[in-house]
PDB file of all heavy atoms in Angstrom:
ATOM      1  N   LEU A  23    -129.179  95.610 -32.220  1.00  0.00           N
ATOM      2  CA  LEU A  23    -129.768  94.910 -30.983  1.00  0.00           C
ATOM      3  C   LEU A  23    -131.000  95.607 -30.536  1.00  0.00           C
ATOM      4  O   LEU A  23    -131.307  96.796 -30.718  1.00  0.00           O
ATOM      5  CB  LEU A  23    -128.681  94.976 -29.932  1.00  0.00           C
ATOM      6  CG  LEU A  23    -127.363  94.227 -30.241  1.00  0.00           C
ATOM      7  CD1 LEU A  23    -126.172  94.542 -29.277  1.00  0.00           C
ATOM      8  CD2 LEU A  23    -127.550  92.621 -30.260  1.00  0.00           C
ATOM      9  N   ASN A  24    -131.607  94.914 -29.613  1.00  0.00           N
ATOM     10  CA  ASN A  24    -132.854  95.438 -28.926  1.00  0.00           C
ATOM     11  C   ASN A  24    -132.498  96.073 -27.510  1.00  0.00           C
ATOM     12  O   ASN A  24    -133.173  95.832 -26.582  1.00  0.00           O
ATOM     13  CB  ASN A  24    -133.868  94.387 -28.812  1.00  0.00           C
ATOM     14  CG  ASN A  24    -135.223  94.726 -28.314  1.00  0.00           C
ATOM     15  OD1 ASN A  24    -135.510  95.933 -28.542  1.00  0.00           O
ATOM     16  ND2 ASN A  24    -135.975  93.953 -27.715  1.00  0.00           N
ATOM     17  N   VAL A  25    -131.373  96.743 -27.602  1.00  0.00           N
ATOM     18  CA  VAL A  25    -130.820  97.417 -26.374  1.00  0.00           C
ATOM     19  C   VAL A  25    -130.724  98.938 -26.605  1.00  0.00           C
ATOM     20  O   VAL A  25    -130.138  99.266 -27.541  1.00  0.00           O
ATOM     21  CB  VAL A  25    -129.554  96.785 -25.837  1.00  0.00           C
ATOM     22  CG1 VAL A  25    -128.970  97.588 -24.661  1.00  0.00           C
ATOM     23  CG2 VAL A  25    -129.512  95.380 -25.593  1.00  0.00           C
ATOM     24  N   ARG A  27    -129.390 102.561 -26.521  1.00  0.00           N
ATOM     25  CA  ARG A  27    -128.145 103.269 -26.071  1.00  0.00           C
ATOM     26  C   ARG A  27    -128.335 104.128 -24.761  1.00  0.00           C
ATOM     27  O   ARG A  27    -129.537 104.778 -24.714  1.00  0.00           O
ATOM     28  CB  ARG A  27    -127.699 104.150 -27.315  1.00  0.00           C
ATOM     29  CG  ARG A  27    -126.451 104.836 -26.997  1.00  0.00           C
ATOM     30  CD  ARG A  27    -126.195 105.854 -28.192  1.00  0.00           C
ATOM     31  NE  ARG A  27    -124.749 106.383 -28.006  1.00  0.00           N
ATOM     32  CZ  ARG A  27    -124.315 107.466 -28.663  1.00  0.00           C
ATOM     33  NH1 ARG A  27    -125.083 108.060 -29.530  1.00  0.00           N
ATOM     34  NH2 ARG A  27    -123.100 107.851 -28.437  1.00  0.00           N
ATOM     35  N   THR A  69     -95.493 114.133 -20.431  1.00  0.00           N
ATOM     36  CA  THR A  69     -94.085 114.210 -20.081  1.00  0.00           C
ATOM     37  C   THR A  69     -93.178 113.651 -21.140  1.00  0.00           C
ATOM     38  O   THR A  69     -93.508 112.674 -21.776  1.00  0.00           O
ATOM     39  CB  THR A  69     -93.848 113.618 -18.682  1.00  0.00           C
ATOM     40  OG1 THR A  69     -94.552 112.384 -18.659  1.00  0.00           O
ATOM     41  CG2 THR A  69     -94.607 114.580 -17.688  1.00  0.00           C
ATOM     42  N   ILE A  73     -87.461 108.805 -16.604  1.00  0.00           N
ATOM     43  CA  ILE A  73     -87.658 108.766 -15.162  1.00  0.00           C
ATOM     44  C   ILE A  73     -86.289 108.706 -14.508  1.00  0.00           C
ATOM     45  O   ILE A  73     -85.375 107.973 -14.923  1.00  0.00           O
ATOM     46  CB  ILE A  73     -88.469 107.597 -14.746  1.00  0.00           C
ATOM     47  CG1 ILE A  73     -89.964 107.865 -15.275  1.00  0.00           C
ATOM     48  CG2 ILE A  73     -88.541 107.322 -13.272  1.00  0.00           C
ATOM     49  CD1 ILE A  73     -90.984 106.656 -14.974  1.00  0.00           C
ATOM     50  N   LEU A  88     -91.173  90.497  -8.118  1.00  0.00           N
ATOM     51  CA  LEU A  88     -92.320  89.642  -8.518  1.00  0.00           C
ATOM     52  C   LEU A  88     -91.750  88.271  -9.005  1.00  0.00           C
ATOM     53  O   LEU A  88     -92.555  87.360  -9.086  1.00  0.00           O
ATOM     54  CB  LEU A  88     -93.239  90.339  -9.604  1.00  0.00           C
ATOM     55  CG  LEU A  88     -93.919  91.583  -9.135  1.00  0.00           C
ATOM     56  CD1 LEU A  88     -94.811  92.105 -10.250  1.00  0.00           C
ATOM     57  CD2 LEU A  88     -94.844  91.270  -7.902  1.00  0.00           C
ATOM     58  N   TYR A  94     -92.779  88.112  -4.135  1.00  0.00           N
ATOM     59  CA  TYR A  94     -93.981  88.035  -4.968  1.00  0.00           C
ATOM     60  C   TYR A  94     -95.189  88.615  -4.280  1.00  0.00           C
ATOM     61  O   TYR A  94     -95.343  88.133  -3.090  1.00  0.00           O
ATOM     62  CB  TYR A  94     -94.285  86.726  -5.519  1.00  0.00           C
ATOM     63  CG  TYR A  94     -95.608  86.706  -6.469  1.00  0.00           C
ATOM     64  CD1 TYR A  94     -95.498  87.144  -7.733  1.00  0.00           C
ATOM     65  CD2 TYR A  94     -96.744  86.267  -5.957  1.00  0.00           C
ATOM     66  CE1 TYR A  94     -96.609  87.197  -8.521  1.00  0.00           C
ATOM     67  CE2 TYR A  94     -97.872  86.309  -6.719  1.00  0.00           C
ATOM     68  CZ  TYR A  94     -97.871  86.803  -7.949  1.00  0.00           C
ATOM     69  OH  TYR A  94     -98.935  86.780  -8.717  1.00  0.00           O
ATOM     70  N   LYS A 132    -107.436 111.109 -13.345  1.00  0.00           N
ATOM     71  CA  LYS A 132    -108.482 110.996 -14.268  1.00  0.00           C
ATOM     72  C   LYS A 132    -109.455 109.909 -13.914  1.00  0.00           C
ATOM     73  O   LYS A 132    -110.668 110.051 -13.916  1.00  0.00           O
ATOM     74  CB  LYS A 132    -107.949 110.829 -15.664  1.00  0.00           C
ATOM     75  CG  LYS A 132    -108.917 110.709 -16.906  1.00  0.00           C
ATOM     76  CD  LYS A 132    -108.204 110.301 -18.222  1.00  0.00           C
ATOM     77  CE  LYS A 132    -108.939 110.604 -19.368  1.00  0.00           C
ATOM     78  NZ  LYS A 132    -108.283 109.939 -20.502  1.00  0.00           N
ATOM     79  N   GLY A 233    -122.746 123.809   2.164  1.00  0.00           N
ATOM     80  CA  GLY A 233    -122.905 122.433   2.503  1.00  0.00           C
ATOM     81  C   GLY A 233    -122.545 121.521   1.265  1.00  0.00           C
ATOM     82  O   GLY A 233    -123.120 120.358   1.143  1.00  0.00           O
ATOM     83  N   GLY A 276     -92.933 111.893 -14.064  1.00  0.00           N
ATOM     84  CA  GLY A 276     -92.912 111.176 -15.400  1.00  0.00           C
ATOM     85  C   GLY A 276     -93.711 110.047 -15.420  1.00  0.00           C
ATOM     86  O   GLY A 276     -93.459 109.097 -16.197  1.00  0.00           O
ATOM     87  N   GLY A 279     -97.222 107.525 -18.326  1.00  0.00           N
ATOM     88  CA  GLY A 279     -97.480 106.211 -18.724  1.00  0.00           C
ATOM     89  C   GLY A 279     -97.573 105.124 -17.754  1.00  0.00           C
ATOM     90  O   GLY A 279     -98.120 104.125 -17.881  1.00  0.00           O
ATOM     91  N   ALA A 280     -96.819 105.338 -16.652  1.00  0.00           N
ATOM     92  CA  ALA A 280     -96.693 104.322 -15.565  1.00  0.00           C
ATOM     93  C   ALA A 280     -97.960 104.138 -14.736  1.00  0.00           C
ATOM     94  O   ALA A 280     -98.449 103.038 -14.498  1.00  0.00           O
ATOM     95  CB  ALA A 280     -95.512 104.643 -14.626  1.00  0.00           C
ATOM     96  N   GLU A 292    -119.776 114.093   5.558  1.00  0.00           N
ATOM     97  CA  GLU A 292    -120.850 113.218   5.710  1.00  0.00           C
ATOM     98  C   GLU A 292    -121.943 113.689   4.731  1.00  0.00           C
ATOM     99  O   GLU A 292    -122.086 114.902   4.588  1.00  0.00           O
ATOM    100  CB  GLU A 292    -121.362 113.293   7.062  1.00  0.00           C
ATOM    101  CG  GLU A 292    -120.492 112.589   8.117  1.00  0.00           C
ATOM    102  CD  GLU A 292    -121.057 112.816   9.498  1.00  0.00           C
ATOM    103  OE1 GLU A 292    -122.148 113.330   9.811  1.00  0.00           O
ATOM    104  OE2 GLU A 292    -120.399 112.356  10.477  1.00  0.00           O
ATOM    105  N   ASP A 302    -118.453 105.318   1.093  1.00  0.00           N
ATOM    106  CA  ASP A 302    -119.013 105.056  -0.274  1.00  0.00           C
ATOM    107  C   ASP A 302    -117.869 105.072  -1.197  1.00  0.00           C
ATOM    108  O   ASP A 302    -117.842 104.252  -2.288  1.00  0.00           O
ATOM    109  CB  ASP A 302    -120.042 106.114  -0.654  1.00  0.00           C
ATOM    110  CG  ASP A 302    -121.444 105.685  -0.068  1.00  0.00           C
ATOM    111  OD1 ASP A 302    -121.597 104.762   0.552  1.00  0.00           O
ATOM    112  OD2 ASP A 302    -122.318 106.462  -0.318  1.00  0.00           O
ATOM    113  N   THR A 308    -113.343  99.368  -3.891  1.00  0.00           N
ATOM    114  CA  THR A 308    -113.141  97.947  -3.782  1.00  0.00           C
ATOM    115  C   THR A 308    -114.049  97.042  -4.890  1.00  0.00           C
ATOM    116  O   THR A 308    -113.591  95.978  -5.202  1.00  0.00           O
ATOM    117  CB  THR A 308    -113.604  97.435  -2.376  1.00  0.00           C
ATOM    118  OG1 THR A 308    -114.958  98.040  -2.131  1.00  0.00           O
ATOM    119  CG2 THR A 308    -112.717  97.950  -1.331  1.00  0.00           C
ATOM    120  N   PHE A 311    -112.529  98.672  -8.788  1.00  0.00           N
ATOM    121  CA  PHE A 311    -111.068  98.903  -9.000  1.00  0.00           C
ATOM    122  C   PHE A 311    -110.285  97.663  -8.352  1.00  0.00           C
ATOM    123  O   PHE A 311    -110.934  97.126  -7.357  1.00  0.00           O
ATOM    124  CB  PHE A 311    -110.659 100.185  -8.490  1.00  0.00           C
ATOM    125  CG  PHE A 311    -109.234 100.596  -8.666  1.00  0.00           C
ATOM    126  CD1 PHE A 311    -108.629 100.726 -10.003  1.00  0.00           C
ATOM    127  CD2 PHE A 311    -108.460 100.933  -7.617  1.00  0.00           C
ATOM    128  CE1 PHE A 311    -107.414 101.027 -10.065  1.00  0.00           C
ATOM    129  CE2 PHE A 311    -107.075 101.303  -7.749  1.00  0.00           C
ATOM    130  CZ  PHE A 311    -106.594 101.436  -9.105  1.00  0.00           C
ATOM    131  N   ASN A 316     -98.830  96.876  -8.362  1.00  0.00           N
ATOM    132  CA  ASN A 316     -97.748  96.700  -7.305  1.00  0.00           C
ATOM    133  C   ASN A 316     -96.464  97.247  -7.788  1.00  0.00           C
ATOM    134  O   ASN A 316     -95.621  97.800  -7.018  1.00  0.00           O
ATOM    135  CB  ASN A 316     -97.724  95.348  -6.666  1.00  0.00           C
ATOM    136  CG  ASN A 316     -97.705  94.232  -7.759  1.00  0.00           C
ATOM    137  OD1 ASN A 316     -97.429  94.592  -8.926  1.00  0.00           O
ATOM    138  ND2 ASN A 316     -97.828  93.007  -7.356  1.00  0.00           N
TER     139      ASN A 316
ATOM    140  N   LEU B  43    -123.086 117.354   5.386  1.00  0.00           N
ATOM    141  CA  LEU B  43    -123.198 118.235   4.222  1.00  0.00           C
ATOM    142  C   LEU B  43    -124.733 118.330   3.686  1.00  0.00           C
ATOM    143  O   LEU B  43    -125.525 117.482   4.028  1.00  0.00           O
ATOM    144  CB  LEU B  43    -122.336 117.672   3.051  1.00  0.00           C
ATOM    145  CG  LEU B  43    -120.771 117.788   3.414  1.00  0.00           C
ATOM    146  CD1 LEU B  43    -119.970 116.819   2.443  1.00  0.00           C
ATOM    147  CD2 LEU B  43    -120.281 119.226   3.339  1.00  0.00           C
ATOM    148  N   ASN B  44    -124.894 119.254   2.773  1.00  0.00           N
ATOM    149  CA  ASN B  44    -126.182 119.393   2.206  1.00  0.00           C
ATOM    150  C   ASN B  44    -126.200 118.728   0.852  1.00  0.00           C
ATOM    151  O   ASN B  44    -126.696 119.217  -0.169  1.00  0.00           O
ATOM    152  CB  ASN B  44    -126.630 120.863   2.047  1.00  0.00           C
ATOM    153  CG  ASN B  44    -127.924 121.117   1.680  1.00  0.00           C
ATOM    154  OD1 ASN B  44    -128.780 120.270   1.792  1.00  0.00           O
ATOM    155  ND2 ASN B  44    -128.235 122.346   1.061  1.00  0.00           N
ATOM    156  N   VAL B  45    -125.586 117.529   0.807  1.00  0.00           N
ATOM    157  CA  VAL B  45    -125.509 116.766  -0.503  1.00  0.00           C
ATOM    158  C   VAL B  45    -126.077 115.407  -0.188  1.00  0.00           C
ATOM    159  O   VAL B  45    -125.751 114.764   0.802  1.00  0.00           O
ATOM    160  CB  VAL B  45    -124.017 116.603  -0.963  1.00  0.00           C
ATOM    161  CG1 VAL B  45    -124.066 115.672  -2.205  1.00  0.00           C
ATOM    162  CG2 VAL B  45    -123.325 117.891  -1.194  1.00  0.00           C
ATOM    163  N   ARG B  47    -126.811 111.582  -0.411  1.00  0.00           N
ATOM    164  CA  ARG B  47    -126.026 110.304  -0.697  1.00  0.00           C
ATOM    165  C   ARG B  47    -126.736 109.701  -1.916  1.00  0.00           C
ATOM    166  O   ARG B  47    -127.990 109.715  -2.077  1.00  0.00           O
ATOM    167  CB  ARG B  47    -126.146 109.373   0.479  1.00  0.00           C
ATOM    168  CG  ARG B  47    -125.357 108.070   0.205  1.00  0.00           C
ATOM    169  CD  ARG B  47    -125.536 107.114   1.314  1.00  0.00           C
ATOM    170  NE  ARG B  47    -124.680 105.836   1.201  1.00  0.00           N
ATOM    171  CZ  ARG B  47    -124.787 104.756   1.754  1.00  0.00           C
ATOM    172  NH1 ARG B  47    -125.773 104.558   2.702  1.00  0.00           N
ATOM    173  NH2 ARG B  47    -123.927 103.768   1.569  1.00  0.00           N
ATOM    174  N   THR B  89    -103.176  84.712  -6.793  1.00  0.00           N
ATOM    175  CA  THR B  89    -101.998  83.898  -7.170  1.00  0.00           C
ATOM    176  C   THR B  89    -100.835  83.989  -6.164  1.00  0.00           C
ATOM    177  O   THR B  89    -100.701  85.012  -5.518  1.00  0.00           O
ATOM    178  CB  THR B  89    -101.541  84.390  -8.581  1.00  0.00           C
ATOM    179  OG1 THR B  89    -101.485  85.783  -8.491  1.00  0.00           O
ATOM    180  CG2 THR B  89    -102.556  83.936  -9.606  1.00  0.00           C
ATOM    181  N   ILE B  93     -93.718  85.369 -10.731  1.00  0.00           N
ATOM    182  CA  ILE B  93     -93.819  85.463 -12.217  1.00  0.00           C
ATOM    183  C   ILE B  93     -92.504  84.853 -12.916  1.00  0.00           C
ATOM    184  O   ILE B  93     -91.498  85.125 -12.533  1.00  0.00           O
ATOM    185  CB  ILE B  93     -93.984  87.009 -12.667  1.00  0.00           C
ATOM    186  CG1 ILE B  93     -95.347  87.477 -12.071  1.00  0.00           C
ATOM    187  CG2 ILE B  93     -93.909  87.268 -14.060  1.00  0.00           C
ATOM    188  CD1 ILE B  93     -95.722  88.911 -12.426  1.00  0.00           C
ATOM    189  N   LEU B 108     -87.892 103.095 -19.163  1.00  0.00           N
ATOM    190  CA  LEU B 108     -88.434 104.359 -18.951  1.00  0.00           C
ATOM    191  C   LEU B 108     -87.358 105.248 -18.404  1.00  0.00           C
ATOM    192  O   LEU B 108     -87.545 106.588 -18.245  1.00  0.00           O
ATOM    193  CB  LEU B 108     -89.617 104.326 -17.791  1.00  0.00           C
ATOM    194  CG  LEU B 108     -90.852 103.576 -18.268  1.00  0.00           C
ATOM    195  CD1 LEU B 108     -91.820 103.545 -17.085  1.00  0.00           C
ATOM    196  CD2 LEU B 108     -91.435 104.211 -19.449  1.00  0.00           C
ATOM    197  N   TYR B 114     -88.213 106.021 -23.143  1.00  0.00           N
ATOM    198  CA  TYR B 114     -89.230 106.618 -22.401  1.00  0.00           C
ATOM    199  C   TYR B 114     -90.512 106.766 -23.185  1.00  0.00           C
ATOM    200  O   TYR B 114     -90.458 107.118 -24.346  1.00  0.00           O
ATOM    201  CB  TYR B 114     -88.792 108.038 -21.834  1.00  0.00           C
ATOM    202  CG  TYR B 114     -89.866 108.608 -20.961  1.00  0.00           C
ATOM    203  CD1 TYR B 114     -90.034 108.164 -19.644  1.00  0.00           C
ATOM    204  CD2 TYR B 114     -90.801 109.590 -21.501  1.00  0.00           C
ATOM    205  CE1 TYR B 114     -91.052 108.776 -18.801  1.00  0.00           C
ATOM    206  CE2 TYR B 114     -91.688 110.198 -20.599  1.00  0.00           C
ATOM    207  CZ  TYR B 114     -91.869 109.719 -19.359  1.00  0.00           C
ATOM    208  OH  TYR B 114     -92.812 110.221 -18.613  1.00  0.00           O
ATOM    209  N   LYS B 152    -112.068  93.269 -13.685  1.00  0.00           N
ATOM    210  CA  LYS B 152    -113.083  93.941 -12.710  1.00  0.00           C
ATOM    211  C   LYS B 152    -113.443  95.358 -13.117  1.00  0.00           C
ATOM    212  O   LYS B 152    -114.480  95.807 -13.138  1.00  0.00           O
ATOM    213  CB  LYS B 152    -112.398  93.776 -11.364  1.00  0.00           C
ATOM    214  CG  LYS B 152    -113.341  94.192 -10.178  1.00  0.00           C
ATOM    215  CD  LYS B 152    -112.399  94.356  -8.988  1.00  0.00           C
ATOM    216  CE  LYS B 152    -113.118  94.367  -7.680  1.00  0.00           C
ATOM    217  NZ  LYS B 152    -112.114  94.633  -6.451  1.00  0.00           N
ATOM    218  N   GLY B 253    -132.004  89.971 -29.013  1.00  0.00           N
ATOM    219  CA  GLY B 253    -131.316  91.245 -29.350  1.00  0.00           C
ATOM    220  C   GLY B 253    -130.646  91.917 -28.138  1.00  0.00           C
ATOM    221  O   GLY B 253    -130.620  93.075 -27.884  1.00  0.00           O
ATOM    222  N   GLY B 296     -99.979  85.340 -13.227  1.00  0.00           N
ATOM    223  CA  GLY B 296     -99.512  85.892 -11.958  1.00  0.00           C
ATOM    224  C   GLY B 296     -99.633  87.402 -11.865  1.00  0.00           C
ATOM    225  O   GLY B 296     -98.940  88.037 -11.031  1.00  0.00           O
ATOM    226  N   GLY B 299    -101.520  91.349  -8.995  1.00  0.00           N
ATOM    227  CA  GLY B 299    -101.035  92.555  -8.383  1.00  0.00           C
ATOM    228  C   GLY B 299    -100.514  93.524  -9.521  1.00  0.00           C
ATOM    229  O   GLY B 299    -100.524  94.724  -9.341  1.00  0.00           O
ATOM    230  N   GLU B 312    -124.504  96.861 -32.308  1.00  0.00           N
ATOM    231  CA  GLU B 312    -125.065  98.145 -32.559  1.00  0.00           C
ATOM    232  C   GLU B 312    -126.363  98.224 -31.548  1.00  0.00           C
ATOM    233  O   GLU B 312    -127.121  97.282 -31.385  1.00  0.00           O
ATOM    234  CB  GLU B 312    -125.663  98.317 -33.925  1.00  0.00           C
ATOM    235  CG  GLU B 312    -124.589  98.512 -34.957  1.00  0.00           C
ATOM    236  CD  GLU B 312    -125.223  98.691 -36.405  1.00  0.00           C
ATOM    237  OE1 GLU B 312    -126.432  98.699 -36.516  1.00  0.00           O
ATOM    238  OE2 GLU B 312    -124.312  98.743 -37.311  1.00  0.00           O
ATOM    239  N   SER B 314    -130.002  99.850 -30.436  1.00  0.00           N
ATOM    240  CA  SER B 314    -131.238  99.879 -31.235  1.00  0.00           C
ATOM    241  C   SER B 314    -131.331 101.110 -32.149  1.00  0.00           C
ATOM    242  O   SER B 314    -132.049 101.120 -33.067  1.00  0.00           O
ATOM    243  CB  SER B 314    -132.438  99.849 -30.329  1.00  0.00           C
ATOM    244  OG  SER B 314    -132.438 100.844 -29.340  1.00  0.00           O
ATOM    245  N   ASP B 322    -119.133 103.822 -28.020  1.00  0.00           N
ATOM    246  CA  ASP B 322    -119.370 104.284 -26.642  1.00  0.00           C
ATOM    247  C   ASP B 322    -118.355 103.723 -25.686  1.00  0.00           C
ATOM    248  O   ASP B 322    -117.980 104.375 -24.756  1.00  0.00           O
ATOM    249  CB  ASP B 322    -120.844 103.898 -26.217  1.00  0.00           C
ATOM    250  CG  ASP B 322    -121.905 104.933 -26.822  1.00  0.00           C
ATOM    251  OD1 ASP B 322    -121.457 105.821 -27.503  1.00  0.00           O
ATOM    252  OD2 ASP B 322    -123.119 104.820 -26.516  1.00  0.00           O
ATOM    253  N   THR B 328    -111.494 106.499 -23.120  1.00  0.00           N
ATOM    254  CA  THR B 328    -110.766 107.611 -23.314  1.00  0.00           C
ATOM    255  C   THR B 328    -111.054 108.645 -22.212  1.00  0.00           C
ATOM    256  O   THR B 328    -110.178 109.418 -21.873  1.00  0.00           O
ATOM    257  CB  THR B 328    -110.985 108.273 -24.697  1.00  0.00           C
ATOM    258  OG1 THR B 328    -112.394 108.444 -24.956  1.00  0.00           O
ATOM    259  CG2 THR B 328    -110.374 107.390 -25.741  1.00  0.00           C
ATOM    260  N   SER B 335    -100.794 100.583 -17.386  1.00  0.00           N
ATOM    261  CA  SER B 335     -99.346 101.019 -17.262  1.00  0.00           C
ATOM    262  C   SER B 335     -98.538 100.494 -18.403  1.00  0.00           C
ATOM    263  O   SER B 335     -98.529  99.370 -18.762  1.00  0.00           O
ATOM    264  CB  SER B 335     -98.924 100.447 -15.976  1.00  0.00           C
ATOM    265  OG  SER B 335     -97.398 100.765 -15.826  1.00  0.00           O
ATOM    266  N   ASN B 336     -97.660 101.374 -18.960  1.00  0.00           N
ATOM    267  CA  ASN B 336     -96.807 100.998 -19.957  1.00  0.00           C
ATOM    268  C   ASN B 336     -95.790  99.816 -19.573  1.00  0.00           C
ATOM    269  O   ASN B 336     -95.497  99.027 -20.276  1.00  0.00           O
ATOM    270  CB  ASN B 336     -95.946 102.221 -20.582  1.00  0.00           C
ATOM    271  CG  ASN B 336     -95.446 103.051 -19.546  1.00  0.00           C
ATOM    272  OD1 ASN B 336     -95.329 102.791 -18.349  1.00  0.00           O
ATOM    273  ND2 ASN B 336     -94.927 104.325 -20.054  1.00  0.00           N
TER     274      ASN B 336
END
Side-chain angles (χ1 to χ4, degrees):
Chain A
L23 297 164
N24 189 22
V25 177
R27 183 187 188 193
T69 48
I73 292 182
L88 294 181
Y94 181 78
K132 184 191 195 187
E292 291 179 3
D302 280 0
T308 52
F311 184 59
N316 47 13
Chain B
L43 297 164
N44 189 22
V45 177
R47 183 186 189 194
T89 48
I93 292 181
L108 294 180
Y114 182 77
K152 185 191 196 188
E312 291 180 4
S314 54
D322 279 1
T328 52
S335 174
N336 48 13

